[in-house]
Amino acid sequence: MPEVIDRLSEILEGAPAPRTLRDDEITLARRHGEQRAALPEYSLPQVITEYHLLRTTILEILDEEGPSTPVVVELLSEVFLLAVREAAGEFADRRNAAAAAQLRDTDARFRHMIEAVKDYAIFTVDPGGFITSWNNGCTRMKQYTSDEAVGQHFSMLYPEEGRRRDEPMGHLRTAAIEGRFRGEGVRRRKNGDLFLADVSITPLYDEGTLTGFAKVVQDLTERNALVQERDLSRTDSTRLRAEAEDRERFVTRLSHDLRSPLATAKMGAELIAAAPHDAAQVRSWADRLVKALQRADQMIGDLLDASRLDAGEPMTLAFDRCDLGAIAGELRDEFAVRHGDRFVTELDGDMVGFWNPDGLRSMLDNLLSNAVKYGDRTQPITIRIRRVDDRVLISVHNFGSIIPLEEQQKLFRRFHRAPVAQASHTPGWGIGLALVKGIAEAHHGVVKAESYPIEGTTFTVDLPIDARAKPDRT
């Protein structure tokens, strides 16, 4: 154990870069397990408890100097979990050949290790998301007993809005494709209370076949309270600086984009004044002038809507009976004229409901414009609309550059443009997706983005069929 502590000190000196055990550190952990196996009074739970107590002690020492950073906490957690795995495996191999064979099985070894862990909720699910194991930390954090949880779908641990956005299965898909899912999000306890959690999901394989997922959850409530109190002024300063930079970029783009329609309108007015008696030319110039002013008016309207949303003021829309399929068909035809015949519309039955027609048109227009700007120009863009019970799902899919997971949560912020958008030098203000989100929420709906290699990028809007009725939040 002293050698393990010495090596751990060396590892912490290399923080904050995340890392895992190297071969020499694995050897140290196995040697510790071998030594403990030679002592008759030692049991497997005691070996595990040694590491748990060591981790707790080190975190307390570090916290005396200030709250531990998430990177350090993650580093310690990964180092100790891997060390426990190696020490416990060696202990079992030395103590009992039959137990060692059992521990080599992934599920059995996982159950033996995690039962001693109380600070983390650790459980497994099958490929369909149904819970197959549940440690004591889960009961402490989530409030469900093992009997209540095992066999249930793990989506019950997510809040309602997360389930509607299909976050549970989406996180499993990300873990299966990328080899791991890691992120922070809101989770739900048995009594309905919500809390912020740090979540890690790892796929489990048996001879190349996906058999399920292991999920580790840390409650960030206490840690975040300390960090937020300490870093409040620093966060405010960073946010204000970022907002100032966003506004500066936006004003520059707006000035450039408004100049074009206003210049067209000015020229049209001058030409009309110069030849008022040429009826044909006057009509032609007047038509151009009106269209240029309409473009400028639309830009200003979008800006005002985005500003109200950023100030926390929801959009106020009037709802009427309209045909969503017809709106999608009109936009498909308009985009086909400008960008070629590569737009596909898939309708699943009757798409008549109570919405705001202009809002739906603006929402679809922004999503299609995004797909055209950043999608593969040789591949089709698909608009799919399907009805599920009393809701309608509207999705726009394109192939092309993938949006990283960490960027997907920022896409709907006003003035934000993903790095791939900035690198492409494609014109844009960064308010289109903020308007999409605002329009969806004004209809009592939600919007989400999904982007995977090979599969492409899909934006999905989930709306009630009748937006006139406010949803029941109970």
Side-chain angles (χ1 to χ4, degrees), residues 255-468:
S255 301
H256 177 271
D257 290 352
L258 271 178
R259 188 174 289 116
S260 177
L262 292 178
T264 300
K266 179 176 180 292
M267 182 179 65
E270 290 173 347
L271 291 172
I272 290 174
H277 303 298
D278 189 338
Q281 289 298 325
V282 167
R283 282 193 298 271
S284 175
W285 293 328
D287 183 59
R288 295 181 186 179
L289 189 152
V290 169
K291 289 181 179 179
L293 291 177
Q294 286 175 340
R295 284 176 54 204
D297 183 65
Q298 181 65 46
M299 292 179 189
I300 295 171
D302 287 348
L303 172 60
L304 291 175
D305 285 340
S307 297
R308 283 194 290 266
L309 290 171
D310 196 55
E313 300 177 18
M315 282 187 173
T316 302
L317 301 177
F319 304 121
D320 200 357
R321 185 179 176 85
C322 62
D323 187 339
L324 177 55
I327 294 173
E330 291 172 3
L331 280 170
R332 175 202 59 205
D333 295 341
E334 292 175 14
F335 272 79
V337 170
R338 301 199 302 267
H339 304 288
D341 189 18
R342 61 190 182 97
F343 297 86
V344 180
T345 303
E346 299 178 359
L347 301 179
D348 183 13
D350 178 28
M351 291 303 156
V352 176
F354 285 88
W355 304 292
N356 181 273
D358 292 337
L360 293 185
R361 183 178 180 85
S362 175
M363 183 173 63
L364 272 172
D365 185 276
N366 275 297
L367 292 177
L368 287 170
S369 296
N370 257 30
V372 170
K373 287 180 183 178
Y374 309 118
D376 186 336
R377 297 183 179 182
T378 66
Q379 296 291 325
I381 293 173
T382 303
I383 310 167
R384 186 184 182 196
I385 305 174
R386 58 193 177 96
R387 181 167 179 168
V388 179
D389 298 327
D390 61 347
R391 306 191 69 81
V392 63
L393 300 179
I394 310 164
S395 64
V396 175
H397 171 270
N398 66 270
F399 295 95
S401 300
I402 299 306
I403 304 171
L405 183 64
E406 61 272 15
E407 281 294 323
Q408 293 177 24
Q409 303 301 319
K410 306 175 186 178
L411 290 174
F412 302 100
R413 285 174 15 195
R414 185 171 65 116
F415 303 147
H416 178 77
R417 301 192 75 206
V420 64
Q422 299 180 37
S424 69
H425 303 294
T426 305
W429 298 358
I431 65 174
L433 291 178
L435 290 175
V436 169
K437 181 175 183 288
I439 294 169
E441 291 177 348
H443 283 80
H444 313 301
V446 294
V447 60
K448 70 171 181 177
E450 294 179 292
S451 194
Y452 302 108
I454 302 176
E455 296 179 24
T457 298
T458 303
F459 285 87
T460 302
V461 181
D462 178 351
L463 304 178
I465 290 293
D466 189 347
R468 297 174 300 177

Side-chain angles (χ1 to χ4, degrees), residues 236-254:
D236 286 345
S237 174
T238 302
R239 177 177 56 81
L240 290 172
R241 183 168 57 253
E243 288 181 355
E245 293 173 354
D246 284 341
R247 281 195 295 271
E248 183 178 352
R249 285 194 296 268
F250 173 76
V251 169
T252 301
R253 290 195 297 267
L254 177 63

